[in-house]
């Protein structure tokens, strides 16, 4: 057994050197260059593939493989993709009004677009391509898929926001868990959003030891981990690693839009809000113009995934125009700890060095 | 300089051995026995005196002094106590309806009770009695009082929930800060509740390093700290100590109602909610019958302190009957880490021993 305080059982399980997981953020930030850089540096890079066509995932996985021979992960959404457009006209009319300043054509008068359900075909590609780690949000992989993955020697994980979800995920065959505190940016991983409409919002500091006490498998902490202090603290709270999303959004290799990066770098710890207005599921984002106006609309958004499909045209037009007022600016609660354009490998190495120093010295002061 | 990782500059400043602060919870839990036991064990006990008459504070401080010669603190509310009963009839009618099952007589038809403003007289007692540490919630001490306290060699602190509040508090003459993450139970310390109606809700894990980076004075972490893992993590995140509230509510010496303790010991990490229905200020409590029904009432509570005064008869009757459905069951987000009836000195010693072992060994696994 290693004397390195950073070499945890999770590292051994995944065959990585450092317990630093880059979150599989959907929607473009996780370029093959970012994923590979994190893995090459000793952590676990993860492709956020939830919204990708299966063949695009295959291409990205092969691009990652050309850049690194080390383990990496791919993240998918394991929620049922059943559309519910029963409130389409009412909600789309609000979206039309809010997106009008961008010049997005109104859609309330036309038929809604069906949301594709790609999970099975996405999963098949991951199996065919031999992806070492398959992680999910919103639920564990369906039992049949999880078994197939494990039988093939792959590692399976899901994100949990309560102790009960950790118990469900472990029973569903996960190899490790990501305990996502309320500090985290992006979608809440909460399984049952009818019971927790805004997601379970237990702070990272509180969630990690309670999940670690109950879980018989390794736990990585997520939500507010930004530097070596965070990694060291996560390990002492009982985690065996940390997953960082926001920190990598402003990395050199990040695919996040330039306007999104600038918004992150200009933001403060109290600038985020948990909103369902981008996707229909609760997610933490910077409170931009769209969020502020949507939260005042006086009605509820549609459920996921239909609402997500409905806001697609607005989000794409915002990206085209570079208007951060209408993008989904996912962010955790520690944006003051962001750095600008740092190469991902440097981020990983600096976090590891700082955490190792803190854990070896045993004090920050 | 000591080699003990627990002996921080905050310990030196306050003349204590361990960086473990017991939160000054108002409303009865902080008996002189609890405060003295924490201080005797090497931490800083704190009397939650916000709602106490000045002469009752004097008596309690003298009782603490009879039990320990070590430093301790007293916590006050430094918010302006200006009543606003402009919506009294509407809100009191709801309170009357909700409290009816307890047999509380309706009050909407009678005059509201003015809230006393005791801060100046409470402060005078603390000065006369030589209380070593004066901490506040909702705002720093008014400048004139802070200067008087510091001139007399007392230490002054306040609770902050954002980096901006930390900057305000430091400029107002605080000697140290308590960075209160959203994981914390009880009142949010947020200064400006018009800007943040539910309080600033930045997780402990995220808030502590961001405040520590900006503060020129020591910071203690609050919110979800329950054991030695939490203390060790707080120190590595940049804090110089931790403040624990919930953990001491089920201590042997706690003055918390038996029904309140039982509710805490039976609760889970996702059972709390931030509500303004007890006091008019946002505060984290277990979601009991009163909270669930009040949050469905469809109207806003009155502002603090008027709403707090208005719910007083219900809370007192609930305590008399031992009915936890109508008490303010303040709780942080890690109730699974509570222990039953542990003597406070044992809590302090166990936390210190566990944190010291973790920081010395440099790993939890």
């Amino acid at each position: 057994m290693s004397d390195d305080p950073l070499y945890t059982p999770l590292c051994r399980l995944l065959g990585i050197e450092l317990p630093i997981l880059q979150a599989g953020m959907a929607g473009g930030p996780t370029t093959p260059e970012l994923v590979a850089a994190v893995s090459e540096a000793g952590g676990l890079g993860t492709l956020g593939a939830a919204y990708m066509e299966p063949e695009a995932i295959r291409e990205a996985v092969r691009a990652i493989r050309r850049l690194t021979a080390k383990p990496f992960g791919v993240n998918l959404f394991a929620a049922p993709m059943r559309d519910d457009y029963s409130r389409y006209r009412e909600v789309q009319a609000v979206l039309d009004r809010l997106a009008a300043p961008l010049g997005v054509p109104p859609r309330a008068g036309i038929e809604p677009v069906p949301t594709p359900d790609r999970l099975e075909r996405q999963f098949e590609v991951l199996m065919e391509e031999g992806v070492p780690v398959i992680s999910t949000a919103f639920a564990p992989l369906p039992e049949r898929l999880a078994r197939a993955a494990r039988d093939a020697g792959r590692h399976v994980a899901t994100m949990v926001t309560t102790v009960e979800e950790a118990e469900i995920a472990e029973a569903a065959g996960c190899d490790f868990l990501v305990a996502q505190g309320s500090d985290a940016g992006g979608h809440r991983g909460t399984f049952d959003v009818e019971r927790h409409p805004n997601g379970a919002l237990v702070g990272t500091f509180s969630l990690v030891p309670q999940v670690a006490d109950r879980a018989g498998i390794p736990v990585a902490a997520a939500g507010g981990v930004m530097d070596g202090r965070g990694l060291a603290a996560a390990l002492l709270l009982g985690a065996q690693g940390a997953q960082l999303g926001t920190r990598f959004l402003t990395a050199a290799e990040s695919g996040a839009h330039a306007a999104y990066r600038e918004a992150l770098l200009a933001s403060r710890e109290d600038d985020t809000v948990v909103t369902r207005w981008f996707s229909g599921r609760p997610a933490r984002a910077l409170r931009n113009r769209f969020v502020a106006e949507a939260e005042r609309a006086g009605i509820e958004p549609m459920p996921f995934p239909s609402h997500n499909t409905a806001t697609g045209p607005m989000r794409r037009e915002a990206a085209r125009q570079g208007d951060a007022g209408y993008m989904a600016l996912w962010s955790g609660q520690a944006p003051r700890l962001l750095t600008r354009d740092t190469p991902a490998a440097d981020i990983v190495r600096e976090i590891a060095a700082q955490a190792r120093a803190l854990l070896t010295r045993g004090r920050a002061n």
Side-chain angles (χ1 to χ4, degrees), chain A residues 255-269:
Chain A
H257 196 288
Y260 179 10
R261 293 164 182 246
E262 291 306 319
L264 285 168
L265 289 162
S267 70
R268 310 188 321 177
E269 74 286 357

Side-chain angles (χ1 to χ4, degrees), chain A residues 49-54 57 76-83 113-124 141-142 144-145 304-306 309:
Chain A
Y51 298 130
M52 292 170 74
E53 290 292 345
I57 296 176
L76 303 175
F77 289 168
M81 297 302 247
R82 278 191 297 271
D83 272 321
V113 177
T115 307
D117 185 353
R118 310 186 182 102
L119 180 62
E120 293 261 351
R121 291 188 302 128
Q122 290 171 326
F123 178 80
E124 274 166 35
L141 272 180
R144 182 175 50 83
L145 306 189
F304 180 89
S306 305
T309 302

